[in-house]
Amino acid sequence: MNDKKNIEFWNNLGKKLWIKEIFLLIVLLVLINEFSILELWLKDVLNVEKGFVEWIPLQKLVIQYLIIVLASVLFSSLVGFTLGALIHLYEWKGLREFAIMLGGLGVTFPTVAIMALLVPSMGYGYEPVVVSLVIYGIFPILTATMDGLRDVDQEFVLASRAMGMNKFQVFRKVELPLASPVILAGLRTSTIISISAATIGATVGAGGLGLPIVTGIRTNNPILILKGALPVMLIAMLADLLFYRVEQSKKWQ
Amino acid sequence: MIDIKNVYKNYGDQAVLSGFDLSIKKGQLCMLLGPSGCGKSTLLKLINRLLIPEAGTIEIGGNPIENIKPELLRRNMGYAIQGSALFPHMRVEDNIAVVPRLMNWPKHKTTARIQELLDLVGLNQSFAKKYPHQLSGGEAQRIGVARALAADPEILLLDEPFGALDPVSRLQLQESFLEIQNKLKKTVVFVTHDVGEAVRMADFLVLMKNGTVVAQGRPFDIVREAEDAVWDFLGNSYTLELLERITLKDLVRNSIPIQEFKNLSELTKFKMNSTCKELLSAMLMNSNSELMVNLGGNVFQFRFEDILTSFGGENQ
């Protein structure tokens, strides 16, 4: 009994002090700044003989990568949410079906192919990557917004209209807050997709953490692959933890 | 206050209200009683313009409601429904403050009003910070009533507000609501399918069936003019429900306590606001049409005839 209480106490304290998040962040920062130490050790363990190429510093790759991810998430949530909210508010029934169909189609189309198709018009670099990640990221947010808003218990909508709210007040004060857990789940999915898909961007010259991975595959160098993959993994875990925290922060459920 | 004239409303091919007329006076607690699907909830939604009638007019204080902006109309009509429909993401205080905030009340006025309303519905001030999921059914329903009263509307529309409660909390809430109504004298349209609730609370009782009025009037008047249709509707124990409207206070008006009685503890205890139904029940339990009771420390003797007389008196 006492043990159980103790565990609960430390768990709560851990939550309050952001222990997990801070730990992951520190690991990530150390990894980024001191990768050379790990590199030497890995060289011994994996018995890789290849010499090191002059590399763009890992810090720079991480920053490039984060910019690509954040820009894609920002644009896809802006477009996805606005579109979903408008479809809901103005009851565009046909457009709902169309959006779901189009989104479904988009997700089944390989990301690499979209990037490659965009290169001729946009050139090499981060632009085709961001655009294709946005196209991918919109769908989870759009459907989550539409479904979340649609599935709000009509009892509350009726009550708020009966109290004299107009359509937009019902949306802002009742529907949106009640749909927010579903919308947030969509944003989470979209972000995780972007984090992993952004590595493919290296194939069309966007740089970022995909660069060591892609180069590692080409030159058969596991150290390079790990150099890109480990930070990606840590960033994904960190993002997931942060979303979990936001989801837990609401007190009304 | 509310005049409904010749109103027609259909859902698709099905007629819900056909030529419905009803006039509700200011300060009256009007109970609409009827089985599911008789059109009583539809009528409420027509009054606050959540639905629009196919034909006919509804006037509030002589003013046709289509002349008023729906949002403004609704803000001046408190509305509460079964299960309370409190917004789960808002604290109790924010739930109560919904309409005052829509009407842009100054902050201090809203805060004061929240405190006042919690007092009125008999809840502690600490409830203000709670979320709806932390409330019991009865507490939530009290907040539902407080929310409906928040902006001090002249009219209250209540759609089976106590329908989801257990019988005990239900009686408590009915009693509290009657107390509040005696203080505030709102014009209330109260929808229910519970005969007991309707008879107990109504100033004015409207029996509805298939979208038409079967009978309307004061509960005792309906008994006097009773036709077969009314009995079919209310069931034959309707008069027993009416006994709940006569309290022992009404009965003792003309009697004097018995002085020489010593053993108070042997007698059944009653309160001044106990009802004739409870008295009759005690008589049946004791198999005696005469009963000595302890009424707040005084001894009274009641006979079955007293109940008859008093019922007859109300019935005149």
Side-chain angles (χ1 to χ4, degrees):
Chain A
M1 193 62 202
N2 219 353
D3 279 353
K4 210 175 158 191
K5 257 189 186 165
N6 257 329
I7 292 168
E8 211 171 283
F9 171 79
W10 287 111
N11 273 343
N12 282 338
L13 191 71
K15 253 189 199 167
K16 257 186 214 152
L17 298 177
W18 296 65
I19 296 274
K20 279 189 211 161
E21 290 83 351
I22 290 174
F23 176 73
L24 271 179
L25 191 65
I26 292 171
V27 173
L28 181 65
L29 289 177
V30 170
L31 189 78
I32 294 167
N33 289 307
E34 307 295 337
F35 194 80
S36 51
I37 301 168
L38 192 65
E39 223 164 3
L40 287 173
W41 180 74
L42 280 172
K43 207 178 158 195
D44 273 354
V45 175
L46 298 172
N47 206 12
V48 182
E49 290 298 329
K50 289 183 179 84
F52 296 116
V53 201
E54 263 307 306
W55 262 98
I56 306 163
L58 196 51
Q59 290 93 323
K60 201 173 170 187
L61 291 177
V62 170
I63 288 167
Q64 280 179 345
Y65 176 75
L66 284 179
I67 289 173
I68 293 171
V69 170
L70 289 178
S72 332
V73 170
L74 187 73
F75 285 121
S76 52
S77 35
L78 270 180
V79 177
F81 175 76
T82 313
L83 207 56
L86 286 176
I87 289 173
H88 175 78
L89 270 174
Y90 294 98
E91 293 166 42
W92 294 332
K93 288 266 158 50
L95 203 59
R96 172 188 292 268
E97 309 294 320
F98 183 70
I100 290 173
M101 195 192 72
L102 202 70
L105 214 65
V107 172
T108 51
F109 203 80
T111 335
V112 194
I114 295 186
M115 287 180 195
L117 285 173
L118 287 172
V119 169
S121 55
M122 306 185 79
Y124 278 90
Y126 62 88
E127 293 96 334
V129 180
V130 171
V131 171
S132 60
L133 288 183
V134 168
I135 292 172
Y136 265 73
I138 286 175
F139 185 61
I141 294 175
L142 175 64
T143 47
T145 308
M146 289 191 309
D147 295 349
L149 289 169
R150 185 196 57 199
D151 295 341
V152 165
D153 199 331
Q154 286 309 299
E155 180 190 40
F156 301 123
V157 177
L158 178 77
S160 45
R161 288 189 54 216
M163 282 191 281
M165 292 188 196
N166 63 34
K167 195 158 78 174
F168 301 100
Q169 287 164 330
V170 174
F171 176 75
R172 190 162 49 85
K173 295 182 178 221
V174 179
E175 291 179 314
L176 194 55
L178 289 177
S180 64
V182 183
I183 298 175
L184 204 64
L187 182 63
R188 182 181 187 166
T189 312
S190 170
T191 309
I192 303 295
I193 290 178
S194 288
I195 288 176
S196 60
T199 50
I200 308 168
T203 54
V204 292
L209 289 168
L211 194 56
I213 298 177
V214 171
T215 320
I217 294 169
R218 275 185 199 143
T219 58
N220 195 19
N221 185 344
I223 296 177
L224 271 183
I225 296 177
L226 284 174
K227 194 170 180 175
L230 286 177
V232 169
M233 187 186 80
L234 286 171
I235 289 170
M237 282 167 76
L238 204 56
D240 205 47
L241 272 181
L242 290 177
F243 273 108
Y244 180 73
R245 209 166 240 289
V246 177
E247 278 168 29
Q248 293 294 305
S249 68
K250 66 177 190 309
K251 301 185 188 80
W252 49 271
Q253 258 188 350
Chain B
M1 186 73 194
I2 306 175
D3 294 295
I4 300 159
K5 290 177 197 157
N6 203 21
V7 161
Y8 287 80
K9 178 70 196 170
N10 306 329
Y11 288 140
D13 295 338
Q14 208 186 343
V16 184
L17 297 174
S18 25
F20 192 90
D21 288 301
L22 182 65
S23 184
I24 299 164
K25 292 198 188 74
K26 196 177 161 75
Q28 216 170 34
L29 171 50
C30 172
M31 303 287 286
L32 298 178
L33 175 64
S36 308
C38 73
K40 51 195 198 304
S41 298
T42 304
L43 192 64
L44 276 196
K45 287 178 187 159
L46 287 168
I47 294 175
N48 67 4
R49 229 170 154 64
L50 285 172
L51 294 174
I52 294 165
E54 263 83 55
T57 56
I58 299 173
E59 293 176 1
I60 306 288
N63 193 3
I65 55 170
E66 60 263 32
N67 294 349
I68 311 168
K69 205 177 163 223
E71 281 81 25
L72 296 180
L73 177 80
R74 291 173 195 149
R75 285 172 203 173
N76 290 307
M77 292 182 179
Y79 184 80
I81 57 175
Q82 181 175 352
S84 80
L86 294 180
F87 299 128
H89 59 292
M90 294 183 192
R91 291 176 196 275
V92 164
E93 54 183 2
D94 299 320
N95 264 293
I96 296 177
V98 167
V99 183
R101 280 177 194 158
L102 286 175
M103 295 170 87
N104 292 320
W105 281 21
K107 211 175 168 189
H108 63 92
K109 193 178 165 194
T110 308
T111 317
R113 184 66 181 153
I114 292 165
Q115 290 176 359
E116 192 184 336
L117 283 165
L118 283 174
D119 275 343
L120 187 71
V121 298
L123 291 175
N124 190 293
Q125 293 300 329
S126 63
F127 277 88
K129 297 284 175 205
K130 290 194 179 182
Y131 280 96
H133 72 98
Q134 296 168 307
L135 306 176
S136 74
E139 289 160 356
Q141 214 52 261
R142 281 171 196 269
I143 302 295
V145 172
R147 183 170 73 170
L149 285 167
D152 206 15
E154 272 188 88
I155 295 170
L156 281 185
L157 306 177
L158 308 175
D159 194 348
E160 307 207 15
F162 311 139
L165 299 178
D166 61 273
V168 178
S169 339
R170 194 172 200 178
L171 279 174
Q172 285 173 350
L173 265 128
Q174 289 168 359
E175 231 169 80
S176 312
F177 183 77
L178 283 179
E179 278 170 30
I180 293 171
Q181 170 61 8
N182 282 335
K183 272 185 233 162
L184 304 182
K185 291 285 172 210
K186 302 284 181 197
T187 307
V188 185
V189 190
F190 190 127
V191 162
T192 183
H193 63 244
D194 180 335
V195 176
E197 183 169 78
V199 172
R200 215 171 294 134
M201 297 178 72
D203 293 331
F204 192 78
L205 183 59
V206 180
L207 310 185
M208 282 178 73
K209 200 173 183 180
N210 299 328
T212 52
V213 173
V214 178
Q216 53 174 301
R218 289 172 56 236
F220 282 97
D221 292 343
I222 286 183
V223 152
R224 198 164 31 153
E225 294 155 12
E227 296 155 21
D228 285 352
V230 173
W231 292 114
D232 288 349
F233 195 99
L234 293 170
N236 292 324
S237 60
Y238 169 60
T239 26
L240 283 181
E241 305 289 351
L242 275 176
L243 282 181
E244 295 209 17
R245 296 183 64 104
I246 311 172
T247 60
L248 296 194
K249 204 164 151 190
D250 303 323
L251 278 193
V252 298
R253 209 169 282 152
N254 302 316
S255 29
I256 308 153
I258 298 165
Q259 299 295 343
E260 62 270 26
F261 202 87
K262 294 284 180 286
N263 290 335
L264 271 175
S265 53
E266 288 174 9
L267 299 175
T268 324
K269 273 191 188 164
F270 277 92
K271 283 180 280 183
M272 274 297 181
N273 62 357
S274 302
T275 64
C276 270
K277 195 178 175 187
E278 292 169 61
L279 181 65
L280 183 64
S281 161
M283 284 176 180
L284 290 172
M285 288 245 293
N286 291 301
S287 317
N288 198 338
S289 68
E290 284 187 11
L291 197 66
M292 306 270 258
V293 301
N294 172 359
L295 193 59
N298 289 319
V299 179
F300 282 92
Q301 186 177 38
F302 291 117
R303 292 166 303 138
F304 182 65
E305 284 74 19
D306 294 332
I307 301 180
L308 281 184
T309 320
S310 141
F311 191 83
E314 290 284 349
N315 204 358
Q316 290 309 304

